[in-house]
Amino acid sequence: MFSLAIPGWGQLDLQHLVLDYNGTLALDGALIPGVAEQLRAIHQLGVQLHVITADTNGTVVRACQGLPVDVHVHHGDAVALEKQHLVEQLGGNHTACVGNGRNDLLMFQAGALSICVLGGEGAFCPALAACHLAVTTITDALDLFLKPHRLRASLRG
C-alpha cells in the first residue's frame, strides 16, 4: 500500500493504480521508455497495477507482457463506463487513476486521486478539469509515487 499524509488534503492510502494505455503509458501503441521500470518500482511499494484500455493499436498485451500489471481490454463504446466500474470495484477511496482522454473522465471522478497526462497525444480538456493533478509526461506522473514529496508539495493546502 502507498500511504501519504498530505497537509490540508488528508491521508491518502492507495492499494491500486489504474492506468490508461494509449496516450498515457504508450504513444502510438509503444510503451514509453522508462515506464516499465517505474511500474515495477511502484509494484514493489505494494500497489496493485491495472492497465485498462480500448487498445486502439492492438499492442497492450504484448507490450505489458512480463510487467506486474493486470491488463483489461474493452472494445466498443463502453470503455469509459468500464474504467469507472473497475475503479469502483477496486474501491475508489483506495485507487489512483492516470489517463489523458475523454474515456478517462469517469474514472477520474471515481478515484481517490486522479492524474492527467498531457503527453504527445494531448489531453481531453474536461479530463483536465476533473483531475486532481496534471503533469506533462507519464514518467512525471509515475515519479509522484516514487518520490512522494512531489505529490505532497502539489496537493497540500
Side-chain angles (χ1 to χ4, degrees), residues 18-32:
V18 176
L19 302 134
D20 172 54
Y21 186 68
N22 286 299
T24 303
L25 292 176
L27 185 61
D28 299 326
L31 205 60
I32 292 171

Side-chain angles (χ1 to χ4, degrees), residues 8 20 24 26 34 43 56 65 68 77-80 82 86 93 101 114 127-130 133-134 139 147 150-151 154:
D20 172 54
T24 303
H43 179 72
T56 304
Q65 189 173 29
D77 296 334
V79 176
E82 294 294 341
L86 176 61
N93 290 336
S114 55
L128 278 170
L133 192 59
T139 55
K147 300 172 184 180
R150 293 180 183 180
L151 189 58
S154 293

Side-chain angles (χ1 to χ4, degrees), residues 6 22 28-29 60 63 70 87 95 97 102 114 118 120 122 139-140:
I6 304 171
N22 286 299
D28 299 326
V60 69
D70 293 327
V87 171
T95 303
C97 309
R102 181 174 175 219
S114 55
L118 297 172
T139 55
D140 289 340

